[in-house]
Amino acid sequence: MADYQAPLKDMNFLLYDVFSMEAMWQSMPTLSEHVDRETAQAILQECAKIAEQEIAPLSRQGDEIGVSFNDGKVTTAPGYKEAFKTYADGGWTGLGGEPDFGGMGMPKVITALHEEMLCSADIAFSLYPGLTAGAGLSIAKHATDELKERYLTRLYAGDWMATMCLTEPHSGTDLGLIYTKAIPEDDGSFAITGTKIFITAGEHDITDNIVHLVLAKLPGAPAGPRGISLFLVPKYQVNEDESLGDFNNVTCGSIEHKMGIHASATCVMNFDSSKGYLVGEENKGLACMFTMMNFERIGVGIQGIGAAERSYQNALEYAKDRLQGRSLSGAKYPEKAADPIIVHGDVRRMLLNMKALTEGSRALSTYISMTLDMATYGEGELKAKGESLSALMTPLAKAFFTDLGLDNTVAGQQVLGGHGYIREWGQEQLVRDVRIAQIYEGTNGIQAMDLLARKVAASKGELMQTFINEVNTYIEQTSADNMQEFIQPLKDANIDLAELTQHILKAAQGNIEELGTSANDYLHVFGYTAMAFVWAKMAESALAKASSSDEFYESKIKTARYYFARLLPRRLSLAASIKAGCDTLFDIDESLF
Amino acid sequence: MADYQAPLKDMNFLLYDVFSMEAMWQSMPTLSEHVDRETAQAILQECAKIAEQEIAPLSRQGDEIGVSFNDGKVTTAPGYKEAFKTYADGGWTGLGGEPDFGGMGMPKVITALHEEMLCSADIAFSLYPGLTAGAGLSIAKHATDELKERYLTRLYAGDWMATMCLTEPHSGTDLGLIYTKAIPEDDGSFAITGTKIFITAGEHDITDNIVHLVLAKLPGAPAGPRGISLFLVPKYQVNEDESLGDFNNVTCGSIEHKMGIHASATCVMNFDSSKGYLVGEENKGLACMFTMMNFERIGVGIQGIGAAERSYQNALEYAKDRLQGRSLSGAKYPEKAADPIIVHGDVRRMLLNMKALTEGSRALSTYISMTLDMATYGEGELKAKGESLSALMTPLAKAFFTDLGLDNTVAGQQVLGGHGYIREWGQEQLVRDVRIAQIYEGTNGIQAMDLLARKVAASKGELMQTFINEVNTYIEQTSADNMQEFIQPLKDANIDLAELTQHILKAAQGNIEELGTSANDYLHVFGYTAMAFVWAKMAESALAKASSSDEFYESKIKTARYYFARLLPRRLSLAASIKAGCDTLFDIDESLF
């Protein structure tokens, strides 16, 4: 496998050329206290080093050896504990954390790019700090200061890790069905009892303590999702002097054997009258858990980008090196026994698909991260726009980037031919590792329904109109002749997206099932259109530098042209499928399947 | 995982209702000697039993344990040797073989359906008899009677297995680059020396002897693909009395560790002055190997169908059983804690995609198999048409069915959610096992170029016109009112396919690279159009039985409607992408990737 090289230049291009992040940060005072261009560049540079040099080398061995389970103990693969210590010592565990409790207060646009590098290096490793950071967000937002002092500071410091315990055997997507119980104790704590499955990093040997965020039901709580509360349940109690106290009856029953991410411990966790502390209000646990959902969801989307970037780097190296056949238009390297396969049109197609979709995803992810920062740190109109756009676009990020992540790792594998199927080349691991990202943290089908039903339809189209207006404003402002090759097709796509949205909303008034059957295709139409928007913006920024002799900008412009010519048309079939309506999906009884 | 149930009813529907195979067989005397409806039905019924009861149960264990390599010896997973013996004892190893040498002489339409059942049961197992049958075709067609008596009879009897040794480390797609040498010996045999990689079933403990078909170069042979000869090289020499003689210096250097098909031995094979026998003429080895290519290619395509069928059966069982959430249009099972997920539009979309594409693939595969039978056993016009259509459509079968095979196993995994990612459920194995089928036996990119460049463009569009005329004839003959909902969109698709073909041929006159960049998308446009043709035929046959109370026919008609409404539109984006031309793929230097 090619050595991973973090795409720092592309990241800085996005931050400072395409999205003018310096001005954006300046407009948000609570953020500009902590971040400026110099700080952010240094952070990403250091992150690239640790990803390239410390984490990426663990990945193959982590896949081969995986985690092991013995008598309740989980042992991680060689090197993971040490790498995490290096990572924590570097301060990375508190990168996006609240400064009041020892975090670095970096915006999502920076933590997101840091996450991408970790995922390119090794998705399995990235999950340990990733889950901890996610749980940290819920604690920071909803827990008492006492809990934050005791637990959050230690999570930010990298002393301990955290988990999110939601799923039960019969209850995944539908969390209203959970059984885990919380019984109030006299000291204000709760005794938590129940079994949770698919718990990432539920048990391991990397840190001394593990802080579980657990969804459970109080006695007499309403049925369904409105009767669920959130609790913080440590593996070991913590004494007043911050030392570890009694074992809290949190045990690991087994670990799962999975298609990929073998180095990530996926645990069955049993809580047996374990002492827990309420986070947020009673019966509002789902809301407390979901405040961090948008941050988490985009993080899962970024797994798709990280894997795709790695896949592209591997496939590109192979395609330049592997000699087979001759170019259709005549030998390009007559001195060699054959041409490198990058001369072949179909190989170029696969490589450019990967390049255009991965760079497009990174740009769109940065844009969406920016909307999350606007919602979190902005004020007034900026905040309102950030809230609207991030609510609309985070389900897109999760599902679209992970669907493309699978496509792009499969494409990379195809470029490698037989070598793509052999474990030793590492390419097939990317396919196995990224596949889970379409499933966990809400399947991509659920994301699509969140987008279309809960966001677009529930707002009567208003949230989508916010995005369409953003694109229209950009189109109106972009009158330069050399941009019209991008602006015209973007305009068409944007008009069609608006029209398709109205079409579905109207159809759903006749039959609500139209939402369910359209959701997946609609999400992808939105994705390709939004990606056209950021590709136009990248082309514009690159054209502004085209007089420089730096090939980076020429490559951007040409990749943008490829995207508009060959990939944006994907929206056409999806729209046609939606417009065929839902009748053929429901006019067939279950017994006929 | 759901127990596999062979779709015998669908198979018989295709053979006798949709494609009127009795009349077809009657029109080919050499075939009708051996096969009739009763025989064929009995064969498929018995095959279903062995696939369901003997082979399917091996698959999970075969994946977990895999083959092992120790000091040159390859040990197969538990049960494989015994299952192969049962299979051979049942006469299955000679199913499609020449009756003169002990084969059963069954047509491809029957052996193809038999292959599908083996692949649904366990792709890894299917490869052992599959490779043997493929090599048997080359031997039957090109070897001397002496070689056939000595080797082919034993392959048909299931005493021994065979391999195909083509690939070398630096030479996969481009076989002109091979190094393996053949030196003539005084006794008329040849001393073969070289290394071959990715050799399926190259070494194992299932049979006592292994017969290798090896591509090698004679001294002074022309460079490139026209200097390659084909040799039969047994692992052990065979004495005059048919007993095994001396070891022939054919050794296994190592086995590959792969993403899937763990129970299939993928070997590095070393030949060291091993005695070989020429098959066919000197320097015409590639042609001899490729006479069986069309039979083999469709066999690999069928791996995609087999895996997709299994995936659908698993996903359907899960979707009817798993309770999560409520239908958008109100609870469908209010007495249960939640509705089964089959009520959800997006789950129905995934299931119907799998159902429509898998049944459509099976129908198209049967049609293409029929064209192979016409080419092999037919005479005059029938033979000519069979030759044209099978040449055109076998690359389609290989690439289209395996691309859909991956899509459909990934879709099944998505229906299972987290359980789809866990090994214990078996669903993720289907994804890993089927993935190789897009790569081996010529990558799908190579198949697409074979279709567009070697078949369509080289015949100036004439081969494609043969297919288009077939569809037009069917359209003209099908005037019933109740068929117009299928005939009209089929007509549109067929007209568009003809127009797209001319568009590409014209564009390629300007720039030959248009062929390479269009090939993959064109193959899929052809695939969706051809599938519309067989779905229309299935709908017609089902409508003819619609008065029966058998739900099978109602299901067919409704699935056909789904295909036309929601899947046939996929061709639109592909055509738009092709029409955007190849400029954006070649106006970007290698250094800009």
Side-chain angles (χ1 to χ4, degrees):
Chain A
M1 184 180 265
D3 286 338
Y4 171 56
Q5 294 190 292
L8 284 176
K9 186 160 188 168
D10 199 35
M11 292 174 170
N12 286 318
F13 170 70
L14 290 172
L15 289 174
Y16 309 113
D17 293 315
V18 180
F19 295 115
S20 309
M21 212 56 80
E22 286 167 290
M24 176 59 76
W25 290 335
Q26 281 303 323
S27 72
M28 298 185 282
T30 53
L31 201 52
S32 59
E33 262 183 66
H34 305 289
V35 65
D36 56 27
R37 180 169 178 160
E38 202 184 344
T39 309
Q41 278 183 328
I43 284 173
L44 293 182
Q45 183 112 35
E46 283 307 303
C47 182
K49 267 193 217 163
I50 195 169
E52 289 168 358
Q53 296 167 18
E54 306 287 334
I55 301 170
L58 297 177
S59 183
R60 267 281 293 148
Q61 182 169 274
D63 183 60
E64 291 295 337
I65 299 177
V67 288
S68 58
F69 178 80
N70 203 339
D71 206 17
K73 301 280 173 210
V74 172
T75 307
T76 51
Y80 279 70
K81 184 171 180 165
E82 295 73 15
F84 183 77
K85 186 159 186 339
T86 305
Y87 177 88
D89 288 349
W92 298 101
T93 38
L95 191 64
E98 301 266 338
D100 288 351
F101 296 89
M104 285 176 66
M106 285 298 120
K108 187 69 196 173
V109 287
I110 299 302
T111 62
L113 294 171
H114 139 272
E115 285 164 23
E116 185 201 312
M117 291 188 253
L118 293 194
C119 291
S120 284
D122 185 27
I123 290 179
F125 179 90
S126 80
L127 296 176
Y128 292 98
L131 267 283
T132 300
L137 289 168
S138 274
I139 296 170
K141 181 91 179 172
H142 299 288
T144 60
D145 279 354
E146 195 188 335
L147 286 176
K148 289 193 218 176
E149 281 293 352
R150 182 156 293 180
Y151 295 98
L152 190 58
T153 54
R154 306 295 291 272
L155 298 179
Y156 287 165
D159 296 336
W160 304 337
M161 286 196 206
T163 76
M164 293 186 287
C165 298
L166 289 71
T167 303
E168 300 182 7
H170 58 288
S171 166
T173 296
D174 190 349
L175 288 168
L177 303 175
I178 65 167
Y179 294 152
T180 298
K181 297 235 165 304
I183 309 293
E185 298 284 305
D186 291 343
D187 65 355
S189 73
F190 296 81
I192 311 293
T193 300
T195 294
K196 297 286 181 176
I197 65 167
F198 297 162
I199 306 309
T200 300
E203 176 59 32
H204 55 75
D205 56 359
I206 296 183
T207 56
D208 298 335
N209 203 3
I210 301 172
V211 179
H212 302 280
L213 287 187
V214 184
L215 291 181
K217 290 193 164 182
L218 289 165
R226 285 177 192 168
I228 298 176
S229 305
L230 181 64
F231 300 88
L232 184 157
V233 187
K235 176 178 168 187
Y236 289 100
Q237 305 280 7
V238 180
N239 298 323
E240 285 302 317
D241 65 356
E242 298 192 2
S243 65
L244 292 187
D246 292 343
F247 180 62
N248 196 19
N249 289 335
V250 179
T251 54
C252 175
S254 61
I255 59 173
E256 305 291 350
H257 300 280
K258 310 183 297 293
M259 182 184 195
I261 53 167
H262 293 164
S264 170
T266 307
C267 304
V268 174
M269 297 303 300
N270 299 309
F271 299 87
D272 182 7
S273 296
S274 306
K275 192 183 276 278
Y277 308 95
L278 187 68
V279 175
E281 290 178 47
E282 290 186 2
N283 296 333
K284 298 207 169 153
L286 272 189
C288 294
M289 189 61 100
F290 286 170
T291 46
M292 52 120 234
M293 246 339 176
N294 284 341
F295 273 72
E296 275 306 289
R297 278 186 190 174
I298 191 171
V300 176
I302 286 166
Q303 293 173 21
I305 306 175
E309 172 65 34
R310 196 75 194 273
S311 174
Y312 176 66
Q313 292 188 17
N314 284 339
L316 179 59
E317 181 178 274
Y318 188 87
K320 287 179 170 177
D321 195 52
R322 175 77 172 174
L323 308 177
Q324 294 291 277
R326 291 294 183 189
S327 163
L328 283 181
S329 49
K332 295 288 175 285
Y333 294 82
E335 74 285 5
K336 295 185 178 177
D339 284 341
I341 61 173
I342 195 171
V343 307
H344 302 308
D346 191 57
V347 174
R348 289 188 159 235
R349 179 187 66 81
M350 292 188 280
L351 290 172
L352 284 168
N353 281 358
M354 294 164 75
K355 184 179 196 303
L357 294 170
T358 305
E359 293 176 10
S361 295
R362 180 178 300 119
L364 190 53
S365 165
T366 301
Y367 178 79
I368 301 171
S369 297
M370 184 176 73
T371 66
L372 282 164
D373 287 332
M374 287 155 58
T376 308
Y377 303 106
E379 284 165 18
E381 246 183 67
L382 190 68
K383 186 184 185 68
K385 199 206 274 183
E387 283 174 345
S388 293
L389 289 173
S390 64
L392 180 76
M393 298 185 88
T394 46
L396 173 72
K398 195 280 183 182
F400 192 51
F401 302 157
T402 58
D403 284 350
L404 295 178
L406 183 73
D407 289 351
N408 286 328
T409 54
V410 166
Q413 201 181 17
Q414 197 69 17
V415 171
L416 268 71
H419 297 108
Y421 197 68
I422 303 298
R423 294 183 68 127
E424 117 189 55
W425 285 70
Q427 183 70 28
E428 61 85 41
Q429 184 189 339
L430 297 175
V431 178
R432 290 186 289 104
D433 283 355
V434 81
R435 178 68 185 89
I436 184 61
Q438 298 171 288
I439 297 171
Y440 58 20
E441 203 76 19
T443 65
N444 285 1
I446 291 293
Q447 303 298 329
M449 276 302 283
D450 180 54
L451 170 69
L452 183 53
R454 275 190 235 162
K455 304 292 165 61
V456 175
S459 72
K460 296 191 169 52
E462 203 183 296
L463 278 179
M464 182 55 78
Q465 196 58 46
T466 308
F467 172 78
I468 288 166
N469 291 345
E470 281 293 291
V471 178
N472 276 337
T473 303
Y474 175 70
I475 290 170
E476 283 160 21
Q477 288 168 349
T478 311
S479 54
D481 281 351
N482 65 357
M483 276 299 292
Q484 297 314 304
E485 62 174 309
F486 307 112
I487 291 296
Q488 286 308 319
L490 175 62
K491 194 171 174 179
D492 293 342
N494 202 42
I495 289 169
D496 287 354
L497 174 61
E499 189 269 330
L500 184 67
T501 305
Q502 291 309 316
H503 172 92
I504 295 171
L505 293 179
K506 196 171 163 201
Q509 284 173 354
N511 186 347
I512 188 75
E513 299 287 4
E514 291 284 351
L515 296 180
T517 56
S518 305
N520 175 75
D521 291 344
Y522 181 76
L523 183 142
H524 286 87
V525 171
F526 180 28
Y528 286 112
T529 306
M531 196 178 272
F533 172 48
V534 294
W535 262 118
K537 287 176 78 73
M538 285 193 280
E540 186 184 26
S541 298
L543 281 166
K545 307 248 187 170
S547 61
S548 93
S549 62
D550 190 337
E551 286 192 328
F552 176 88
Y553 302 108
E554 188 188 347
S555 172
K556 268 298 167 215
I557 296 161
K558 292 184 167 177
T559 309
R561 287 190 183 125
Y562 179 81
Y563 179 81
F564 278 90
R566 308 276 308 202
L567 295 173
L568 184 54
R570 289 184 178 180
R571 67 194 180 84
L572 302 173
S573 290
L574 297 164
S577 181
I578 289 171
K579 289 185 174 177
C582 75
D583 290 351
T584 56
L585 288 99
F586 284 95
D587 183 32
I588 176 164
D589 287 347
E590 277 175 40
S591 63
L592 299 183
F593 273 78
Chain B
M1 184 181 266
D3 285 339
Y4 172 56
Q5 294 190 293
L8 285 176
K9 186 159 188 170
D10 199 35
M11 293 174 171
N12 286 318
F13 170 70
L14 290 172
L15 290 174
Y16 309 112
D17 293 314
V18 180
F19 296 114
S20 309
M21 212 57 79
E22 286 167 290
M24 175 60 75
W25 291 336
Q26 282 303 324
S27 72
M28 299 186 282
T30 54
L31 202 52
S32 59
E33 262 183 66
H34 305 289
V35 64
D36 56 25
R37 180 170 179 158
E38 201 183 345
T39 309
Q41 279 183 328
I43 284 173
L44 293 182
Q45 182 111 36
E46 283 307 304
C47 183
K49 266 191 218 164
I50 194 169
E52 290 167 356
Q53 295 166 19
E54 304 287 333
I55 301 170
L58 297 177
S59 184
R60 268 281 294 150
Q61 183 169 271
D63 182 61
E64 291 294 337
I65 299 177
V67 288
S68 57
F69 178 80
N70 203 340
D71 206 17
K73 300 281 173 208
V74 172
T75 307
T76 51
Y80 280 70
K81 184 171 180 163
E82 296 73 15
F84 184 77
K85 187 160 187 334
T86 305
Y87 178 87
D89 289 349
W92 298 100
T93 40
L95 191 65
E98 300 266 338
D100 289 351
F101 297 89
M104 286 176 67
M106 284 299 121
K108 188 68 196 173
V109 287
I110 299 301
T111 62
L113 293 171
H114 140 269
E115 286 163 22
E116 186 202 310
M117 290 189 255
L118 293 194
C119 291
S120 284
D122 184 27
I123 289 178
F125 179 90
S126 80
L127 296 176
Y128 292 97
L131 267 285
T132 300
L137 289 167
S138 273
I139 297 170
K141 181 92 179 173
H142 298 287
T144 61
D145 279 356
E146 196 188 334
L147 285 177
K148 289 194 219 176
E149 281 294 352
R150 183 155 294 179
Y151 295 98
L152 191 57
T153 54
R154 306 295 290 273
L155 297 179
Y156 287 165
D159 296 337
W160 304 336
M161 287 196 203
T163 77
M164 293 186 288
C165 299
L166 288 72
T167 303
E168 300 182 8
H170 57 288
S171 166
T173 296
D174 189 349
L175 288 168
L177 304 175
I178 65 167
Y179 294 151
T180 298
K181 298 236 164 303
I183 310 294
E185 298 283 307
D186 291 343
D187 64 354
S189 73
F190 296 80
I192 310 293
T193 301
T195 295
K196 297 285 181 177
I197 64 167
F198 297 161
I199 306 308
T200 299
E203 176 60 33
H204 54 74
D205 56 359
I206 297 182
T207 57
D208 297 336
N209 204 3
I210 301 172
V211 179
H212 302 280
L213 287 187
V214 183
L215 291 181
K217 290 194 163 182
L218 289 165
R226 283 174 194 172
I228 297 176
S229 304
L230 181 64
F231 300 89
L232 184 158
V233 187
K235 175 178 169 185
Y236 289 100
Q237 306 278 9
V238 179
N239 298 323
E240 286 300 320
D241 65 357
E242 299 192 1
S243 64
L244 291 187
D246 293 341
F247 180 62
N248 197 18
N249 289 336
V250 179
T251 54
C252 175
S254 61
I255 59 172
E256 304 291 351
H257 301 279
K258 309 183 296 296
M259 183 185 194
I261 52 167
H262 293 164
S264 170
T266 307
C267 303
V268 174
M269 297 304 299
N270 298 309
F271 299 88
D272 181 7
S273 295
S274 306
K275 191 183 276 279
Y277 307 95
L278 187 68
V279 175
E281 290 178 48
E282 289 185 4
N283 297 333
K284 297 205 170 155
L286 273 188
C288 295
M289 189 62 98
F290 287 169
T291 46
M292 52 120 233
M293 245 340 174
N294 284 341
F295 274 73
E296 275 305 290
R297 278 187 191 173
I298 192 171
V300 176
I302 286 167
Q303 293 173 21
I305 306 175
E309 173 65 33
R310 196 76 194 273
S311 174
Y312 176 65
Q313 292 188 17
N314 284 340
L316 179 59
E317 181 178 275
Y318 188 88
K320 286 179 169 176
D321 195 51
R322 174 78 172 174
L323 308 178
Q324 295 289 279
R326 290 295 183 190
S327 163
L328 284 181
S329 50
K332 295 288 176 287
Y333 294 82
E335 74 285 5
K336 295 186 178 178
D339 284 341
I341 61 173
I342 196 171
V343 306
H344 302 307
D346 191 57
V347 173
R348 290 189 157 233
R349 177 187 67 81
M350 293 188 279
L351 290 172
L352 283 168
N353 281 358
M354 294 164 75
K355 184 178 195 301
L357 294 169
T358 305
E359 293 176 11
S361 294
R362 180 179 300 121
L364 189 54
S365 166
T366 301
Y367 177 79
I368 300 171
S369 297
M370 185 176 74
T371 68
L372 282 165
D373 287 333
M374 287 154 58
T376 309
Y377 304 105
E379 284 166 17
E381 246 183 68
L382 190 68
K383 186 183 185 69
K385 199 206 275 183
E387 283 174 345
S388 293
L389 289 174
S390 63
L392 181 75
M393 297 185 87
T394 46
L396 174 71
K398 195 279 183 182
F400 192 51
F401 301 157
T402 59
D403 284 350
L404 295 178
L406 183 72
D407 290 351
N408 286 329
T409 53
V410 167
Q413 201 181 17
Q414 197 69 18
V415 171
L416 268 72
H419 296 109
Y421 196 68
I422 302 298
R423 295 182 69 126
E424 122 190 50
W425 285 70
Q427 182 70 26
E428 61 84 40
Q429 184 189 340
L430 297 174
V431 178
R432 289 184 292 104
D433 284 354
V434 82
R435 178 68 185 87
I436 185 61
Q438 297 171 289
I439 296 171
Y440 58 20
E441 203 76 19
T443 64
N444 285 1
I446 291 294
Q447 303 298 328
M449 276 303 284
D450 181 54
L451 170 69
L452 182 55
R454 277 190 233 160
K455 306 292 165 60
V456 176
S459 73
K460 296 193 168 55
E462 203 182 297
L463 278 180
M464 182 54 78
Q465 197 57 48
T466 308
F467 172 79
I468 289 167
N469 292 345
E470 283 292 291
V471 178
N472 276 336
T473 304
Y474 175 71
I475 289 170
E476 283 159 21
Q477 289 168 350
T478 311
S479 54
D481 282 350
N482 64 358
M483 277 298 291
Q484 296 315 303
E485 62 174 310
F486 308 112
I487 291 297
Q488 286 308 319
L490 174 62
K491 194 170 175 181
D492 293 342
N494 203 41
I495 289 168
D496 288 352
L497 174 61
E499 190 269 329
L500 184 67
T501 305
Q502 291 309 315
H503 171 91
I504 294 171
L505 293 179
K506 196 172 163 201
Q509 283 174 354
N511 186 349
I512 188 74
E513 299 287 4
E514 291 284 351
L515 296 180
T517 56
S518 305
N520 175 75
D521 291 343
Y522 181 76
L523 183 142
H524 286 87
V525 172
F526 181 27
Y528 287 111
T529 306
M531 195 177 272
F533 173 48
V534 294
W535 262 118
K537 288 177 76 73
M538 286 193 281
E540 186 184 25
S541 298
L543 282 165
K545 308 247 188 170
S547 61
S548 92
S549 62
D550 191 337
E551 287 192 328
F552 175 88
Y553 302 107
E554 187 189 346
S555 172
K556 270 295 169 217
I557 296 161
K558 292 185 167 176
T559 309
R561 287 190 184 127
Y562 179 80
Y563 179 81
F564 278 90
R566 307 277 310 203
L567 294 173
L568 185 55
R570 289 184 179 180
R571 68 195 180 82
L572 302 174
S573 290
L574 297 163
S577 180
I578 290 171
K579 290 187 173 176
C582 76
D583 290 352
T584 57
L585 288 98
F586 282 96
D587 182 31
I588 176 165
D589 287 346
E590 275 175 42
S591 62
L592 300 183
F593 274 78

